Amino acid sequence: MNKRVHRGHFARKRFGQNFLNDHFIIDSIVSAIHPKPGEAIMEIGPGLGALTEVVGSFVDRMMVIELDRNLVTRLANHAVLQDKLTIYQQDAMVVNFANIAQQVRQPLRVFGNLPYNISTQLLFHLFIYTHAILDMHFMLQKEVVDRLVAKPDSKVYGRLSVMAQYYCNIIPLLQVAPTSFTPSPKVNSTVVRLVPHRVIQNPVGDVRMLTRITTKTFNQRRKTIRNSLGDLFTSVQLLEFGIDPSLRAENVSVAQYCKLANCLSDSFSHTNREFLR
Ligand code: SAM
């Protein structure tokens, strides 16, 4: 059989379709999620239902977001699941998760074996809605999970680490080999739990400032902070925040980035308005 065919479906590369085929892994993920009736369970990318069928056996209702029309048709006609599912045939990247949480009157429990081609952008999109999310369980490339949990002074510490740790407590749960999927991806995978902080440790007044500062510094990783942020902060200001101006983006902690973002919000000048655009 063509190795891209699974359960009679031809896996589409452009939708990042790598279907789980390993029952031990599927059961481990579902027991980590621990779904209960009455919860607002939402799966991103249910595909052929490998996780959906098992989660569905614990709950009366669940929501799924699936972009592939063929898979939506299969799910809508699924013998066991069809009466339990609310299907959003949509791109998860444009879903307003806060609106859905408001409609179901409770925070969402989101999970999924995410399409790897959009997983990082999708995480950034989900962070916007962490106030409406109870927890998230995702299968991701191992390399992405390494970046999510990376601490300063590490080569993989970046904008994703700062934004993820600003919003969430992150717990890697399980390593998964390529052979657990059909077709097999070229990378190793990790299942991770992200729990949005109920109280943000270093709240920033305007998260757009944090986004822009981290984009600016990490886009110029090799430059010192004095240079990459030279148009926004003097070396004296950086020193006042306890940041050595000769450090690079990867040496600055989440708390220090938050201080810088708040300083910009406070001294919100015309220049900084331009900076936000
Ligand atoms: N959950 C299934 C499993 O574990 O076997 C499928 C996982 S597969 C890695 C990713 C799934 O996400 C596919 O079903 C794919 O069609 C869907 N998908 C891809 N891009 C999407 C998007 N932008 N929004 C929603 N679903 C998407």
Side-chain angles (χ1 to χ4, degrees), residues 212-253:
R212 286 303 170 109
I213 290 179
T214 50
T215 305
K216 212 165 155 49
T217 56
F218 285 106
N219 279 354
Q220 308 172 79
R221 285 186 84 100
R222 291 166 155 274
K223 284 195 178 174
T224 61
I225 296 293
R226 179 197 289 120
N227 286 333
S228 60
L229 295 181
D231 53 342
L232 297 171
F233 301 97
T234 63
S235 291
V236 174
Q237 278 178 309
L238 291 172
L239 284 167
E240 276 168 12
F241 292 124
I243 304 172
D244 175 348
S246 67
L247 294 180
R248 291 185 163 72
E250 70 194 40
N251 310 118
V252 178
S253 71

Side-chain angles (χ1 to χ4, degrees), residues 7-276:
R7 291 201 194 177
H9 171 82
F10 187 81
R12 293 182 168 168
K13 212 169 175 180
R14 74 187 164 100
F15 287 147
Q17 292 178 350
N18 298 99
F19 300 104
L20 272 167
N21 61 29
D22 181 329
H23 290 284
F24 173 75
I25 296 294
I26 292 169
D27 289 343
S28 303
I29 296 171
V30 178
S31 61
I33 301 170
H34 196 45
K36 293 182 280 308
E39 292 178 333
I41 307 278
M42 155 80 80
E43 181 176 6
I44 298 176
L48 292 161
L51 292 166
T52 329
E53 285 171 1
V54 185
V55 170
S57 69
F58 291 98
V59 298
D60 305 323
R61 296 213 55 80
M62 63 183 284
M63 298 167 276
V64 296
I65 306 171
E66 175 55 65
L67 188 57
D68 183 329
R69 221 181 322 145
N70 295 341
L71 294 177
V72 167
T73 305
R74 287 176 72 128
L75 289 162
N77 295 300
H78 189 288
V80 182
L81 288 173
Q82 60 176 328
D83 295 333
K84 296 190 176 192
L85 297 184
T86 302
I87 305 176
Y88 297 86
Q89 188 191 326
Q90 248 180 311
D91 177 354
M93 286 292 297
V94 299
V95 169
N96 184 323
F97 291 88
N99 278 354
I100 296 177
Q102 209 164 28
Q103 280 160 22
V104 298
R105 298 209 179 95
Q106 58 176 315
L108 307 177
R109 301 198 64 207
V110 185
F111 75 97
N113 169 16
L114 295 188
Y116 289 175
N117 50 342
I118 59 159
S119 62
T120 309
Q121 296 125 278
L122 196 49
L123 287 168
F124 281 119
H125 179 68
L126 284 156
F127 294 152
I128 303 169
Y129 299 107
T130 41
H131 60 287
I133 295 175
L134 201 61
D135 59 19
M136 303 180 263
H137 291 83
F138 293 133
M139 174 85 75
L140 294 163
Q141 302 99 303
K142 177 185 178 299
E143 168 260 325
V144 171
V145 175
D146 291 345
R147 283 161 53 205
L148 285 172
V149 298
K151 296 294 176 202
D153 304 329
S154 143
K155 283 268 168 287
V156 293
Y157 178 71
R159 195 167 94 75
L160 181 66
S161 328
V162 175
M163 300 310 289
Q165 292 167 33
Y166 174 77
Y167 284 112
C168 297
N169 187 24
I170 305 152
I171 307 144
L173 298 173
L174 191 66
Q175 305 293 331
V176 185
T179 47
S180 295
F181 304 82
T182 307
S184 301
K186 291 198 172 62
V187 293
N188 288 319
S189 303
T190 302
V191 178
V192 67
R193 175 184 293 142
L194 297 107
V195 184
H197 300 303
R198 284 302 119 223
V199 178
I200 300 233
Q201 284 149 358
N202 301 287
V204 300
D206 186 340
V207 176
R208 291 174 305 172
M209 300 287 187
L210 188 59
T211 300
R212 286 303 170 109
I213 290 179
T214 50
T215 305
K216 212 165 155 49
T217 56
F218 285 106
N219 279 354
Q220 308 172 79
R221 285 186 84 100
R222 291 166 155 274
K223 284 195 178 174
T224 61
I225 296 293
R226 179 197 289 120
N227 286 333
S228 60
L229 295 181
D231 53 342
L232 297 171
F233 301 97
T234 63
S235 291
V236 174
Q237 278 178 309
L238 291 172
L239 284 167
E240 276 168 12
F241 292 124
I243 304 172
D244 175 348
S246 67
L247 294 180
R248 291 185 163 72
E250 70 194 40
N251 310 118
V252 178
S253 71
V254 177
Q256 286 172 324
Y257 275 117
C258 293
K259 276 190 201 169
L260 292 174
N262 278 331
C263 172
L264 273 194
S265 311
D266 290 347
S267 59
F268 204 69
S269 67
H270 181 71
T271 324
N272 293 336
R273 271 185 197 285
E274 286 302 314
F275 168 71
L276 273 180

